[in-house]
Amino acid sequence: MIATSAIADITKAPIISETEGKATDTTQTTSQIANLASINELKLYLAQEVAKYLNPKDYFTLYNVIQCESSWRIDAKNKDSTASGLAQFLDGTWNRYCKGDKKNSYDQISCLVKAWKEKHQSWWNESKFCWGKYLTN
């Protein structure tokens, strides 16, 4: 369970809109609604992992890393490399550093939090122009 203070902190920081810069369609299919539910579960899991291992304010930065890297699309794939998933881990990095299944979004979040805790933020330098403005101290 997330501490109340962590939840309060989570509600205060800026988060990149998932529709930022895009026209939005208000009609949603059943599969889109189901996908939103699973995305919300992933966001909650990220908050729980951050609360366990990092400063609660890091939630916003990691949220935005995922938003910038994959737009929270679990099937995101970089056409120019082996990067895939929510956090866009490269196959080699995943195999050397992470545990679990690279296609599992929960494992991706766990590895992202682990990498952040161990100061591997440079792995996401290519998208820092996007998420870097939300860095927390």
Side-chain angles (χ1 to χ4, degrees):
M1 195 71 180
I2 300 173
T4 306
S5 62
I7 293 172
D9 284 343
I10 287 170
T11 61
K12 294 178 185 170
I15 293 177
I16 299 169
S17 165
E18 289 153 16
T19 58
E20 193 171 279
K22 300 176 189 169
T24 57
D25 180 0
T26 55
T27 55
Q28 295 180 322
T29 65
T30 304
S31 65
Q32 288 171 319
I33 292 168
N35 189 42
L36 287 175
S38 64
I39 290 171
N40 286 335
E41 290 172 9
L42 292 171
K43 291 174 184 177
L44 177 59
Y45 183 73
L46 173 63
Q48 292 169 334
E49 289 292 286
V50 167
K52 280 193 266 184
Y53 301 109
L54 299 169
N55 179 324
K57 292 181 180 182
D58 287 327
Y59 171 83
F60 304 106
T61 302
L62 297 183
Y63 177 105
N64 287 314
V65 167
I66 294 172
Q67 180 61 35
C68 292
E69 289 288 344
S70 66
S71 299
W72 288 89
R73 287 184 16 253
I74 59 176
D75 62 344
K77 171 82 176 91
N78 184 317
K79 63 181 174 57
D80 298 322
S81 74
T82 63
S84 63
L86 291 177
Q88 292 292 289
F89 281 101
L90 296 169
D91 286 349
T93 303
W94 184 268
N95 293 333
R96 284 189 310 275
Y97 186 78
C98 301
K99 294 182 180 176
D101 181 358
K102 186 178 174 209
K103 293 179 183 178
N104 181 303
S105 297
Y106 293 94
D107 291 343
Q108 285 247 343
I109 289 171
S110 294
C111 193
L112 173 62
V113 169
K114 175 185 174 190
W116 217 259
K117 180 181 179 191
E118 296 177 5
K119 308 296 184 205
H120 294 297
Q121 291 89 341
S122 65
W123 292 352
W124 291 275
N125 276 349
E126 289 295 316
S127 63
K128 191 172 182 178
F129 71 93
C130 178
W131 59 263
K133 57 189 163 192
Y134 300 102
L135 282 173
T136 56
N137 295 330

